[in-house]
Amino acid sequence: MGPEDVSGLKGTRSALQTDVVVKPTTTVYTFNVGDKIELTLSFITPSLNLDDESLIYNHLPTTYISFSATSADGEDHDVKVYFDATAEGIIDDVKNEVEMQRNEFGGITNLNIGTTSQETLSGTSDRINWGYMHLNIPSDVDGLATTLSSDTSARQAFYNNENMPEDDEALIRSANDNWPVMAVSFNLDVAGDAHVPNTVFMTMTQDVVKSMDYFGNDILPFWTTLFESAQDMIMAGFQFFNTVVAATEDYDEKLMEDLTAAGGEKYAELLSLVHRQTTGATEKTTSLVEGDVWHWMKEISSDGDVSTVDVIYPAAPFFLYLAPETLRRMFMPLLVYSNNATGASSDYDYNLPWAAHHLGVWPVCDILAKDQEQMPVEESGNFLIMIAAVAQAQNGDVGYLDEYWPILKSWADYTVASLPDPGDQLCTDDFEGPSPHNVNLAAKGIVGLGAYAQLLELKGDADGSAQYLNQAKALVGNWTVMGTDVDGTHTRLQFDLDDTFSLKYNLLFDKVLGLNLFPDSLIEADLQHYDSLANEYGVPLDNRGTFSKADWLMWVYALGSDSQFEDQVGRLWKFADETKDRVPLTDWYDTVTADQQGFQARPVLGGMYSKMIL
């Protein structure tokens, strides 16, 4: 994949890559081999319908890799394919000692690799360091040969058309010591008159047996509730191949149609690009309650925190649109922690009147209340807004909140006491530095109070609902006067700073929830001002620099006209296409240079689904 001659072997010629398409659940590469063969390579991760427990294949730590070949010149051809994988997908440091193993079971040839130490629930890297990575292929594939050896010896043997080397004697060594690989080769012969491509598939599966340490409680991956062993799980995954191919094709086609209808082709392509980036940062597990399910989100590439509330919040549109129950399940570990129901000692009692920021550093949840990154109005508002949005998506169901109403009231009351001006508090854009008297943060608090009023109404507390809704409405009046710039054309970054601006992304949920606290005329005026500040790759986040956040940009312009939305989508698409930083899509980039400023592969880009929840 990518440029030619990257294998490091003398005299090799890469197949010519002619196409690559990133669908929501599948990436498809197409290669032309000497104008004789067309090879299609598909990577399929069935991250679809996350709320549906009946789709077992949807909840396995498995990616399907499919190889399909057809004749490009109408002639018959003998075709041989080689594939290998290092240990890098299951370790956090290439110096780690790893062990390679092989097995045969259920008609499957299984090669696997993992660290010898197997320090379960260790390390805080974005890459895991326990469990095993399994490469699995049907044992009856024509011409199948496998080896556990060094990358150079396995690749050179294939290139020389020699037998695959015997397994190395040293099956235990550092991952970068002659780079041990799990390697397979097989025949993929094609007939010139064949109407159906010759197809071979394999799977790559990760078998961690523990996912999280939740205040001393072992939380297990969801697959352990379905299967007694990794072997059983791998065999089951094999049975689903044809089902997975059909289901993901249908899902991708329907989703892309809906996204295109809502926002155009470029919008659909961007949202397709971030689909697996969003789901890939989450994990489905058991919970403290037997038979229940929890979901977790990792703060990828910034600091690795567990279930950071202001990372879940920007990602929320993705889940509200495609999997609201999954979003609700992300709340639960945080609600249990906030309610002091983790079973941990009193040292871990959460005694703050506002919502928590996160639970710990992945994969260990052990943070004390005093050690939180304190963002009182930010996280309280985020939580109240998301809970109300999930309730809206689930037909008003708030029954699961029975034991949590007191803490929700605490967060709402703290927010009331902090407004109209939240003072010197951090907001989620803390990577820019402090911004006291933040106008956008105050807007979040107001929308949060409106959301709490909706929750009280669903609970049946009409008087309480009216009280908080009236407080929110009164605060909007103060906010509009205090937050409007001296020239009257737009809102400020801070209440105390003229000639400033910021993207007021927190107004999105005022419309999503149907609160309509903030006047449309104010939103329209801000959008016109943003339009006047647009650079080649989008509108800056605020007046302090030329960088922006892709998620917040899409939140803001989801509230604009179709032409305004289309214009900003085009600029963001242009950034993704032209940036020199070829990394999993960043959310923080420069709108003038298209340079990545920081962050990559983060689930916050699920927020680009904002238009889909209006």
Side-chain angles (χ1 to χ4, degrees), residues 15-33:
L16 177 64
Q17 181 180 312
T18 59
D19 196 23
V20 59
V21 178
V22 180
K23 302 177 183 180
T25 66
T26 303
T27 299
V28 183
Y29 291 88
T30 306
F31 302 90
N32 180 281
V33 188

Side-chain angles (χ1 to χ4, degrees), residues 277-309:
Q277 181 164 314
T278 304
T279 58
T282 69
E283 185 151 2
K284 184 175 187 176
T285 70
T286 60
S287 79
L288 290 187
V289 180
E290 187 175 353
D292 201 0
V293 174
W294 281 355
H295 272 266
W296 313 76
M297 180 176 284
K298 184 170 185 177
E299 188 173 341
I300 300 289
S301 89
S302 37
D303 57 11
D305 285 347
V306 183
S307 297
T308 307
V309 178

Side-chain angles (χ1 to χ4, degrees), residues 31-44:
F31 302 90
N32 180 281
V33 188
D35 293 327
K36 297 180 178 180
I37 303 296
E38 183 172 88
L39 174 70
T40 302
L41 178 59
S42 301
F43 293 83
I44 309 168

